[in-house]
Amino acid sequence: MRNTFGNLFTLTTFGESHGTAIGGVIDGYPAGIPVDMEFIQGELDRRRPGQSHITTGRQEEDRVEILSGVFEGKSTGCPIGFIVHNKDHHSQDYESIRCLFRPSHADYTYYNKYGVRDHRGGGRSSARITISRCVAGAFAKLALKSYGITIQAYTSQVGDIALDRDYRRYDLSQTEKNPVRCPDPETALLMEKKIAQVKAMGDTIGGIITCVIKGCPVGLGEPEFGKLSASLGAAMLSINAVKGFEYGDGFDCVNTLGSEQNDHFHNDQGKISTISNHSGGIQGGITNGEDIYFRVAFKPVATVMKEQPTIDLEGNPTRFRPDGRHDPCVLPRAVPVVESMAAMTILDNILLLQSEKTIHFTQ
């Protein structure tokens, strides 16, 4: 089982949904970075359960404890170990699924791959494991701050309720002012109402998160197998419930001609930039200095509070109705996870770019 993300900046995670704790080890983090613990905890608070009436009722403080790698408020360059204890897990709620496979969950695939599975809340496949990603993402954001790089994600669609694709039409600073994390207040109310209605039906709903990265230098990514677009895609597709990724104009580019899609360069008093940004800040797999923007599609949460057909461990047909506490829509809590994966990917690529510029081979 691969539990490590990254090349030079790495995160190795551990823990299960109903285990003692979730945690991880960050390695390759630069020394001397000021570590703002209030900011790091704030990033976890954005992800934690029980935030509002449209999220799961599980109540966890999700207080992070740093075990190593930070001294007198700064990173030391050594591995950063951290841990977040689980406190409000109701494992008894999952006894009914001990001997059966839930539709569209990882139960069947995990059991067949490893011969064993933790049925309590999904175990290792639970979205609760993304706690570690948010901690590492917060550290990555602190490092990126010194480069002038910012990352902002937001809910852009819930079901059939959608914002315009152009992120420049919205004040993204408004994103955190509503429980849906949508920067447009009127649309946010419609989304919140939609999620509440679906929850009352015992069902779930999916949607799209848009992410914008500003301030990246030219040159991140490789032209062949290390394309930044591919790295971002892999990072996003590793998040629970993600079913799609597109950057720039994405699939909409098929509706245009090449002459309409091309981003023309111009020189503004010595500063090279593009007039348009259909490419989403990445050309040939390498950043061109423009804003990077992408969209991530999340399927409806697989656990619906309705009776469904399935099979048991012996392959016999059966039916089940889940217990427990679950999100009717994952998007509000997934926004910080998307940002975290983006931050880790960008920081890893910055370190790779720096290593390419500082390593010289002698003949």
Side-chain angles (χ1 to χ4, degrees):
M1 182 184 291
R2 178 167 170 77
N3 299 295
T4 300
F5 168 89
N7 297 286
L8 296 184
F9 172 85
T10 66
L11 167 68
T12 301
T13 70
F14 64 84
E16 297 84 33
S17 177
H18 287 221
T20 302
I22 307 294
V25 177
I26 301 167
D27 205 358
Y29 193 72
I33 303 294
V35 177
D36 183 344
M37 287 306 302
E38 184 176 345
F39 172 78
I40 292 172
Q41 185 59 55
E43 291 295 277
L44 271 185
D45 291 344
R46 296 172 67 209
R47 194 225 69 94
R48 72 174 178 82
Q51 295 181 42
S52 70
H53 68 106
I54 57 171
T55 63
T56 172
R58 181 169 175 171
Q59 295 294 324
E60 295 279 4
E61 292 183 353
D62 286 350
R63 307 300 298 182
V64 61
E65 178 183 358
I66 304 300
L67 305 176
S68 63
V70 177
F71 179 66
E72 295 184 341
K74 291 186 177 181
S75 60
T76 65
C78 299
I80 299 171
F82 62 88
I83 193 169
V84 176
H85 288 276
N86 294 324
K87 296 182 178 179
D88 188 36
H89 40 74
H90 296 175
S91 299
Q92 68 275 8
D93 291 343
Y94 295 88
E95 279 303 311
S96 63
I97 66 167
R98 178 186 286 271
C99 296
L100 57 80
F101 300 121
R102 295 171 295 172
S104 291
H105 285 75
D107 301 346
Y108 176 77
T109 51
Y110 263 57
Y111 185 74
N112 275 269
K113 183 176 179 67
Y114 299 108
V116 62
R117 94 173 203 264
D118 184 349
H119 66 283
R120 306 166 303 165
R124 184 71 175 156
S125 66
S126 170
R128 183 155 177 77
I129 307 304
T130 58
I131 284 175
S132 298
R133 301 178 184 217
C134 284
V135 175
F139 272 96
K141 282 184 178 182
L142 290 174
L144 293 177
K145 185 178 180 180
S146 63
Y147 294 95
I149 297 173
T150 62
I151 299 173
Q152 175 70 67
Y154 61 92
T155 299
S156 55
Q157 183 168 342
V158 171
D160 59 357
I161 302 171
L163 296 178
D164 187 270
R165 287 178 63 105
D166 187 354
Y167 64 89
R168 296 169 298 180
R169 294 188 57 183
Y170 304 102
D171 180 1
L172 301 190
S173 68
Q174 301 298 305
T175 299
E176 294 296 316
K177 294 187 176 181
N178 58 76
V180 186
R181 293 198 164 92
C182 170
D184 182 67
E186 293 183 4
T187 307
L189 286 174
L190 295 175
M191 290 176 172
E192 184 177 350
K193 182 179 179 180
K194 182 78 168 183
I195 295 171
Q197 290 174 339
V198 169
K199 180 180 179 181
M201 295 164 51
D203 220 321
T204 62
I205 193 167
I208 294 173
I209 290 175
T210 297
C211 187
V212 182
I213 306 173
K214 292 179 174 290
C216 278
V218 179
L220 298 185
E222 301 295 330
E224 184 61 12
F225 297 114
K227 289 178 168 63
L228 183 65
S229 47
S231 297
L232 284 170
M236 298 307 143
L237 289 164
S238 74
I239 301 172
N240 306 60
V242 169
K243 288 295 184 180
F245 169 83
E246 63 176 10
Y247 70 99
D249 283 1
F251 288 102
D252 277 1
C253 72
V254 302
N255 298 317
T256 61
L257 299 174
S259 57
E260 300 170 313
Q261 185 68 201
N262 286 345
D263 294 318
H264 301 137
F265 291 100
H266 74 129
N267 188 332
D268 183 10
Q269 297 181 343
K271 177 178 172 55
I272 305 298
S273 61
T274 58
I275 298 173
S276 58
N277 189 19
H278 301 293
S279 303
I282 303 172
Q283 294 173 326
I286 302 171
T287 54
N288 64 5
E290 304 297 320
D291 291 351
I292 298 171
Y293 64 95
F294 58 85
R295 290 162 31 105
V296 186
F298 287 78
K299 71 171 184 175
V301 177
T303 299
V304 298
M305 307 309 287
K306 296 183 176 183
E307 187 175 88
Q308 299 177 84
T310 188
I311 60 171
D312 61 23
L313 268 63
E314 284 73 43
N316 302 310
T318 184
R319 301 185 70 84
F320 89 108
R321 185 186 182 94
D323 295 314
R325 300 156 295 176
H326 309 278
D327 287 288
C329 179
V330 74
L331 275 79
R333 295 175 59 212
V335 165
V337 181
V338 168
E339 291 180 2
S340 293
M341 295 308 298
M344 288 192 286
T345 302
I346 296 299
L347 180 57
D348 192 31
N349 275 270
I350 284 179
L351 296 177
L352 286 168
L353 179 62
Q354 290 178 341
S355 71
E356 291 173 354
K357 291 182 176 181
T358 57
I359 295 175
H360 301 278
F361 295 96
T362 57
Q363 295 183 354

